PDB file of all heavy atoms in Angstrom:
ATOM      1  N   ARG A   1      11.575 -17.650   5.018  1.00 48.00           N
ATOM      2  CA  ARG A   1      11.680 -16.451   5.796  1.00 48.00           C
ATOM      3  C   ARG A   1      10.469 -15.513   5.541  1.00 48.00           C
ATOM      4  O   ARG A   1      10.105 -15.281   4.409  1.00 48.00           O
ATOM      5  CB  ARG A   1      12.989 -15.723   5.458  1.00 48.00           C
ATOM      6  CG  ARG A   1      13.245 -14.411   6.229  1.00 48.00           C
ATOM      7  CD  ARG A   1      14.488 -13.750   5.814  1.00 48.00           C
ATOM      8  NE  ARG A   1      14.362 -13.043   4.566  1.00 48.00           N
ATOM      9  CZ  ARG A   1      13.865 -11.771   4.461  1.00 48.00           C
ATOM     10  NH1 ARG A   1      13.393 -11.148   5.532  1.00 48.00           N
ATOM     11  NH2 ARG A   1      13.815 -11.196   3.309  1.00 48.00           N
ATOM     12  N   GLN A   2       9.889 -15.049   6.592  1.00 51.00           N
ATOM     13  CA  GLN A   2       8.778 -14.082   6.474  1.00 51.00           C
ATOM     14  C   GLN A   2       9.363 -12.721   6.247  1.00 51.00           C
ATOM     15  O   GLN A   2      10.281 -12.322   6.885  1.00 51.00           O
ATOM     16  CB  GLN A   2       7.907 -14.079   7.744  1.00 51.00           C
ATOM     17  CG  GLN A   2       7.204 -15.390   7.962  1.00 51.00           C
ATOM     18  CD  GLN A   2       6.204 -15.635   6.863  1.00 51.00           C
ATOM     19  OE1 GLN A   2       5.420 -14.706   6.500  1.00 51.00           O
ATOM     20  NE2 GLN A   2       6.147 -16.831   6.336  1.00 51.00           N
ATOM     21  N   PRO A   3       8.783 -11.926   5.315  1.00 48.00           N
ATOM     22  CA  PRO A   3       9.361 -10.623   5.015  1.00 48.00           C
ATOM     23  C   PRO A   3       9.080  -9.655   6.215  1.00 48.00           C
ATOM     24  O   PRO A   3       8.088  -9.786   6.905  1.00 48.00           O
ATOM     25  CB  PRO A   3       8.597 -10.134   3.768  1.00 48.00           C
ATOM     26  CG  PRO A   3       7.389 -10.964   3.743  1.00 48.00           C
ATOM     27  CD  PRO A   3       7.658 -12.249   4.407  1.00 48.00           C
ATOM     28  N   HIS A   4      10.026  -8.775   6.417  1.00 45.00           N
ATOM     29  CA  HIS A   4       9.839  -7.701   7.425  1.00 45.00           C
ATOM     30  C   HIS A   4       8.718  -6.874   6.967  1.00 45.00           C
ATOM     31  O   HIS A   4       8.439  -6.693   5.739  1.00 45.00           O
ATOM     32  CB  HIS A   4      11.137  -6.871   7.491  1.00 45.00           C
ATOM     33  CG  HIS A   4      11.158  -5.826   8.490  1.00 45.00           C
ATOM     34  ND1 HIS A   4      10.581  -4.589   8.271  1.00 45.00           N
ATOM     35  CD2 HIS A   4      11.610  -5.851   9.770  1.00 45.00           C
ATOM     36  CE1 HIS A   4      10.698  -3.841   9.386  1.00 45.00           C
ATOM     37  NE2 HIS A   4      11.314  -4.586  10.263  1.00 45.00           N
ATOM     38  N   PRO A   5       7.835  -6.324   7.875  1.00 48.00           N
ATOM     39  CA  PRO A   5       6.691  -5.519   7.469  1.00 48.00           C
ATOM     40  C   PRO A   5       7.060  -4.432   6.489  1.00 48.00           C
ATOM     41  O   PRO A   5       6.282  -4.147   5.534  1.00 48.00           O
ATOM     42  CB  PRO A   5       6.228  -4.907   8.781  1.00 48.00           C
ATOM     43  CG  PRO A   5       6.646  -5.880   9.847  1.00 48.00           C
ATOM     44  CD  PRO A   5       7.960  -6.458   9.333  1.00 48.00           C
ATOM     45  N   ALA A   6       8.220  -3.807   6.546  1.00 46.00           N
ATOM     46  CA  ALA A   6       8.590  -2.772   5.632  1.00 46.00           C
ATOM     47  C   ALA A   6       8.868  -3.274   4.247  1.00 46.00           C
ATOM     48  O   ALA A   6       8.831  -2.568   3.235  1.00 46.00           O
ATOM     49  CB  ALA A   6       9.829  -2.015   6.122  1.00 46.00           C
ATOM     50  N   GLU A   7       9.166  -4.601   4.144  1.00 49.00           N
ATOM     51  CA  GLU A   7       9.438  -5.252   2.822  1.00 49.00           C
ATOM     52  C   GLU A   7       8.168  -5.697   2.142  1.00 49.00           C
ATOM     53  O   GLU A   7       8.158  -5.969   0.917  1.00 49.00           O
ATOM     54  CB  GLU A   7      10.364  -6.452   3.061  1.00 49.00           C
ATOM     55  CG  GLU A   7      11.727  -6.104   3.531  1.00 49.00           C
ATOM     56  CD  GLU A   7      12.515  -7.341   3.866  1.00 49.00           C
ATOM     57  OE1 GLU A   7      11.924  -8.420   4.150  1.00 49.00           O
ATOM     58  OE2 GLU A   7      13.776  -7.253   3.856  1.00 49.00           O
ATOM     59  N   ARG A   8       7.068  -5.841   2.889  1.00 51.00           N
ATOM     60  CA  ARG A   8       5.831  -6.360   2.284  1.00 51.00           C
ATOM     61  C   ARG A   8       5.250  -5.328   1.292  1.00 51.00           C
ATOM     62  O   ARG A   8       5.191  -4.148   1.614  1.00 51.00           O
ATOM     63  CB  ARG A   8       4.825  -6.636   3.359  1.00 51.00           C
ATOM     64  CG  ARG A   8       5.227  -7.824   4.256  1.00 51.00           C
ATOM     65  CD  ARG A   8       4.095  -8.214   5.150  1.00 51.00           C
ATOM     66  NE  ARG A   8       4.603  -9.125   6.083  1.00 51.00           N
ATOM     67  CZ  ARG A   8       4.528  -8.988   7.454  1.00 51.00           C
ATOM     68  NH1 ARG A   8       3.914  -7.965   7.939  1.00 51.00           N
ATOM     69  NH2 ARG A   8       5.031  -9.848   8.251  1.00 51.00           N
ATOM     70  N   GLN A   9       4.837  -5.817   0.212  1.00 56.00           N
ATOM     71  CA  GLN A   9       4.215  -4.959  -0.809  1.00 56.00           C
ATOM     72  C   GLN A   9       2.707  -5.105  -0.676  1.00 56.00           C
ATOM     73  O   GLN A   9       2.213  -6.215  -0.446  1.00 56.00           O
ATOM     74  CB  GLN A   9       4.667  -5.375  -2.177  1.00 56.00           C
ATOM     75  CG  GLN A   9       6.132  -5.200  -2.470  1.00 56.00           C
ATOM     76  CD  GLN A   9       6.541  -3.737  -2.382  1.00 56.00           C
ATOM     77  OE1 GLN A   9       5.841  -2.915  -2.911  1.00 56.00           O
ATOM     78  NE2 GLN A   9       7.620  -3.391  -1.694  1.00 56.00           N
ATOM     79  N   PRO A  10       1.934  -4.030  -0.838  1.00 55.00           N
ATOM     80  CA  PRO A  10       0.488  -4.215  -0.853  1.00 55.00           C
ATOM     81  C   PRO A  10       0.050  -5.072  -1.999  1.00 55.00           C
ATOM     82  O   PRO A  10       0.673  -5.094  -3.073  1.00 55.00           O
ATOM     83  CB  PRO A  10      -0.078  -2.811  -0.998  1.00 55.00           C
ATOM     84  CG  PRO A  10       1.079  -1.931  -1.432  1.00 55.00           C
ATOM     85  CD  PRO A  10       2.360  -2.690  -1.071  1.00 55.00           C
ATOM     86  N   HIS A  11      -0.953  -5.853  -1.816  1.00 54.00           N
ATOM     87  CA  HIS A  11      -1.463  -6.705  -2.844  1.00 54.00           C
ATOM     88  C   HIS A  11      -2.068  -5.856  -3.909  1.00 54.00           C
ATOM     89  O   HIS A  11      -2.853  -4.949  -3.654  1.00 54.00           O
ATOM     90  CB  HIS A  11      -2.500  -7.667  -2.263  1.00 54.00           C
ATOM     91  CG  HIS A  11      -2.933  -8.729  -3.218  1.00 54.00           C
ATOM     92  ND1 HIS A  11      -3.871  -8.488  -4.214  1.00 54.00           N
ATOM     93  CD2 HIS A  11      -2.468 -10.015  -3.390  1.00 54.00           C
ATOM     94  CE1 HIS A  11      -3.987  -9.617  -4.875  1.00 54.00           C
ATOM     95  NE2 HIS A  11      -3.215 -10.527  -4.459  1.00 54.00           N
ATOM     96  N   PRO A  12      -1.686  -6.046  -5.193  1.00 54.00           N
ATOM     97  CA  PRO A  12      -2.175  -5.201  -6.261  1.00 54.00           C
ATOM     98  C   PRO A  12      -3.709  -5.166  -6.353  1.00 54.00           C
ATOM     99  O   PRO A  12      -4.267  -4.183  -6.865  1.00 54.00           O
ATOM    100  CB  PRO A  12      -1.581  -5.781  -7.533  1.00 54.00           C
ATOM    101  CG  PRO A  12      -0.591  -6.792  -7.125  1.00 54.00           C
ATOM    102  CD  PRO A  12      -0.810  -7.101  -5.650  1.00 54.00           C
ATOM    103  N   ALA A  13      -4.393  -6.184  -5.924  1.00 51.00           N
ATOM    104  CA  ALA A  13      -5.839  -6.216  -6.027  1.00 51.00           C
ATOM    105  C   ALA A  13      -6.523  -5.424  -4.895  1.00 51.00           C
ATOM    106  O   ALA A  13      -7.717  -5.236  -4.934  1.00 51.00           O
ATOM    107  CB  ALA A  13      -6.350  -7.637  -5.997  1.00 51.00           C
ATOM    108  N   ASP A  14      -5.712  -4.929  -3.921  1.00 54.00           N
ATOM    109  CA  ASP A  14      -6.256  -4.186  -2.834  1.00 54.00           C
ATOM    110  C   ASP A  14      -6.472  -2.736  -3.259  1.00 54.00           C
ATOM    111  O   ASP A  14      -5.565  -1.962  -3.417  1.00 54.00           O
ATOM    112  CB  ASP A  14      -5.346  -4.217  -1.598  1.00 54.00           C
ATOM    113  CG  ASP A  14      -5.911  -3.459  -0.416  1.00 54.00           C
ATOM    114  OD1 ASP A  14      -7.069  -2.944  -0.474  1.00 54.00           O
ATOM    115  OD2 ASP A  14      -5.207  -3.383   0.597  1.00 54.00           O
ATOM    116  N   PRO A  15      -7.805  -2.366  -3.515  1.00 52.00           N
ATOM    117  CA  PRO A  15      -8.070  -1.044  -4.072  1.00 52.00           C
ATOM    118  C   PRO A  15      -7.719   0.080  -3.054  1.00 52.00           C
ATOM    119  O   PRO A  15      -7.540   1.225  -3.416  1.00 52.00           O
ATOM    120  CB  PRO A  15      -9.561  -1.068  -4.351  1.00 52.00           C
ATOM    121  CG  PRO A  15     -10.085  -2.136  -3.472  1.00 52.00           C
ATOM    122  CD  PRO A  15      -8.984  -3.093  -3.289  1.00 52.00           C
ATOM    123  N   ARG A  16      -7.539  -0.259  -1.791  1.00 64.00           N
ATOM    124  CA  ARG A  16      -7.281   0.782  -0.784  1.00 64.00           C
ATOM    125  C   ARG A  16      -5.742   1.125  -0.759  1.00 64.00           C
ATOM    126  O   ARG A  16      -5.428   2.070  -0.052  1.00 64.00           O
ATOM    127  CB  ARG A  16      -7.698   0.300   0.611  1.00 64.00           C
ATOM    128  CG  ARG A  16      -9.160   0.054   0.654  1.00 64.00           C
ATOM    129  CD  ARG A  16      -9.610  -0.481   1.984  1.00 64.00           C
ATOM    130  NE  ARG A  16     -10.885  -1.111   1.968  1.00 64.00           N
ATOM    131  CZ  ARG A  16     -12.019  -0.484   2.105  1.00 64.00           C
ATOM    132  NH1 ARG A  16     -12.039   0.803   2.246  1.00 64.00           N
ATOM    133  NH2 ARG A  16     -13.148  -1.140   2.059  1.00 64.00           N
ATOM    134  N   SER A  17      -4.927   0.409  -1.431  1.00 74.00           N
ATOM    135  CA  SER A  17      -3.478   0.717  -1.390  1.00 74.00           C
ATOM    136  C   SER A  17      -3.131   1.798  -2.413  1.00 74.00           C
ATOM    137  O   SER A  17      -2.041   2.351  -2.320  1.00 74.00           O
ATOM    138  CB  SER A  17      -2.670  -0.530  -1.647  1.00 74.00           C
ATOM    139  OG  SER A  17      -2.828  -0.998  -2.971  1.00 74.00           O
ATOM    140  N   LEU A  18      -3.994   2.151  -3.303  1.00 81.00           N
ATOM    141  CA  LEU A  18      -3.757   3.176  -4.283  1.00 81.00           C
ATOM    142  C   LEU A  18      -4.654   4.400  -4.069  1.00 81.00           C
ATOM    143  O   LEU A  18      -5.823   4.193  -3.643  1.00 81.00           O
ATOM    144  CB  LEU A  18      -3.956   2.677  -5.678  1.00 81.00           C
ATOM    145  CG  LEU A  18      -2.985   1.581  -6.193  1.00 81.00           C
ATOM    146  CD1 LEU A  18      -3.434   1.132  -7.538  1.00 81.00           C
ATOM    147  CD2 LEU A  18      -1.569   2.063  -6.180  1.00 81.00           C
ATOM    148  N   ILE A  19      -4.147   5.601  -4.346  1.00 85.00           N
ATOM    149  CA  ILE A  19      -4.974   6.792  -4.227  1.00 85.00           C
ATOM    150  C   ILE A  19      -4.504   7.791  -5.254  1.00 85.00           C
ATOM    151  O   ILE A  19      -3.324   7.860  -5.568  1.00 85.00           O
ATOM    152  CB  ILE A  19      -4.925   7.380  -2.804  1.00 85.00           C
ATOM    153  CG1 ILE A  19      -5.942   8.483  -2.650  1.00 85.00           C
ATOM    154  CG2 ILE A  19      -3.508   7.840  -2.447  1.00 85.00           C
ATOM    155  CD1 ILE A  19      -6.146   8.934  -1.245  1.00 85.00           C
ATOM    156  N   ALA A  20      -5.453   8.487  -5.877  1.00 88.00           N
ATOM    157  CA  ALA A  20      -5.092   9.519  -6.800  1.00 88.00           C
ATOM    158  C   ALA A  20      -4.404  10.675  -6.049  1.00 88.00           C
ATOM    159  O   ALA A  20      -4.829  11.012  -4.918  1.00 88.00           O
ATOM    160  CB  ALA A  20      -6.344  10.037  -7.550  1.00 88.00           C
ATOM    161  N   SER A  21      -3.399  11.275  -6.708  1.00 89.00           N
ATOM    162  CA  SER A  21      -2.650  12.325  -6.012  1.00 89.00           C
ATOM    163  C   SER A  21      -3.551  13.510  -5.634  1.00 89.00           C
ATOM    164  O   SER A  21      -3.335  14.136  -4.554  1.00 89.00           O
ATOM    165  CB  SER A  21      -1.485  12.817  -6.873  1.00 89.00           C
ATOM    166  OG  SER A  21      -2.006  13.316  -8.087  1.00 89.00           O
ATOM    167  N   ASP A  22      -4.566  13.807  -6.438  1.00 89.00           N
ATOM    168  CA  ASP A  22      -5.447  14.921  -6.125  1.00 89.00           C
ATOM    169  C   ASP A  22      -6.275  14.688  -4.891  1.00 89.00           C
ATOM    170  O   ASP A  22      -6.777  15.637  -4.274  1.00 89.00           O
ATOM    171  CB  ASP A  22      -6.278  15.351  -7.312  1.00 89.00           C
ATOM    172  CG  ASP A  22      -7.239  14.268  -7.843  1.00 89.00           C
ATOM    173  OD1 ASP A  22      -6.923  13.077  -7.552  1.00 89.00           O
ATOM    174  OD2 ASP A  22      -8.242  14.595  -8.416  1.00 89.00           O
ATOM    175  N   ARG A  23      -6.394  13.453  -4.522  1.00 91.00           N
ATOM    176  CA  ARG A  23      -7.126  13.110  -3.256  1.00 91.00           C
ATOM    177  C   ARG A  23      -6.231  13.185  -2.066  1.00 91.00           C
ATOM    178  O   ARG A  23      -6.744  13.277  -0.911  1.00 91.00           O
ATOM    179  CB  ARG A  23      -7.737  11.704  -3.360  1.00 91.00           C
ATOM    180  CG  ARG A  23      -8.855  11.696  -4.411  1.00 91.00           C
ATOM    181  CD  ARG A  23      -9.783  10.596  -4.312  1.00 91.00           C
ATOM    182  NE  ARG A  23     -10.414  10.410  -3.021  1.00 91.00           N
ATOM    183  CZ  ARG A  23     -10.698   9.269  -2.494  1.00 91.00           C
ATOM    184  NH1 ARG A  23     -10.479   8.153  -3.114  1.00 91.00           N
ATOM    185  NH2 ARG A  23     -11.249   9.227  -1.267  1.00 91.00           N
ATOM    186  N   VAL A  24      -4.929  13.165  -2.239  1.00 94.00           N
ATOM    187  CA  VAL A  24      -3.949  13.304  -1.120  1.00 94.00           C
ATOM    188  C   VAL A  24      -3.871  14.822  -0.826  1.00 94.00           C
ATOM    189  O   VAL A  24      -3.754  15.191   0.368  1.00 94.00           O
ATOM    190  CB  VAL A  24      -2.571  12.695  -1.497  1.00 94.00           C
ATOM    191  CG1 VAL A  24      -1.597  12.987  -0.371  1.00 94.00           C
ATOM    192  CG2 VAL A  24      -2.700  11.240  -1.742  1.00 94.00           C
ATOM    193  N   ILE A  25      -3.844  15.649  -1.847  1.00 94.00           N
ATOM    194  CA  ILE A  25      -3.793  17.096  -1.636  1.00 94.00           C
ATOM    195  C   ILE A  25      -4.965  17.532  -0.779  1.00 94.00           C
ATOM    196  O   ILE A  25      -6.113  17.159  -1.068  1.00 94.00           O
ATOM    197  CB  ILE A  25      -3.805  17.836  -2.978  1.00 94.00           C
ATOM    198  CG1 ILE A  25      -2.751  17.331  -3.914  1.00 94.00           C
ATOM    199  CG2 ILE A  25      -3.693  19.357  -2.763  1.00 94.00           C
ATOM    200  CD1 ILE A  25      -1.357  17.335  -3.387  1.00 94.00           C
ATOM    201  N   GLY A  26      -4.675  18.266   0.278  1.00 94.00           N
ATOM    202  CA  GLY A  26      -5.764  18.717   1.195  1.00 94.00           C
ATOM    203  C   GLY A  26      -6.027  17.789   2.400  1.00 94.00           C
ATOM    204  O   GLY A  26      -6.777  18.133   3.290  1.00 94.00           O
ATOM    205  N   THR A  27      -5.331  16.662   2.369  1.00 96.00           N
ATOM    206  CA  THR A  27      -5.547  15.703   3.492  1.00 96.00           C
ATOM    207  C   THR A  27      -4.798  16.272   4.728  1.00 96.00           C
ATOM    208  O   THR A  27      -3.714  16.753   4.626  1.00 96.00           O
ATOM    209  CB  THR A  27      -4.965  14.321   3.126  1.00 96.00           C
ATOM    210  OG1 THR A  27      -5.636  13.833   1.967  1.00 96.00           O
ATOM    211  CG2 THR A  27      -5.175  13.315   4.261  1.00 96.00           C
TER     212      THR A  27
END
């Protein structure tokens, strides 16, 4: 079974899936 898109987890090696909270502030 293929996971539903909401169930998929970002690949840990994908640097774009993480962001520092101080970079979210002001977005």
Side-chain angles (χ1 to χ4, degrees):
R1 183 180 77 82
Q2 293 296 314
H4 184 275
E7 296 173 334
R8 292 187 192 125
Q9 296 295 317
H11 189 276
D14 183 2
R16 299 177 199 275
S17 67
L18 295 176
I19 188 168
S21 61
D22 61 336
R23 294 198 53 214
V24 175
I25 308 304
T27 302

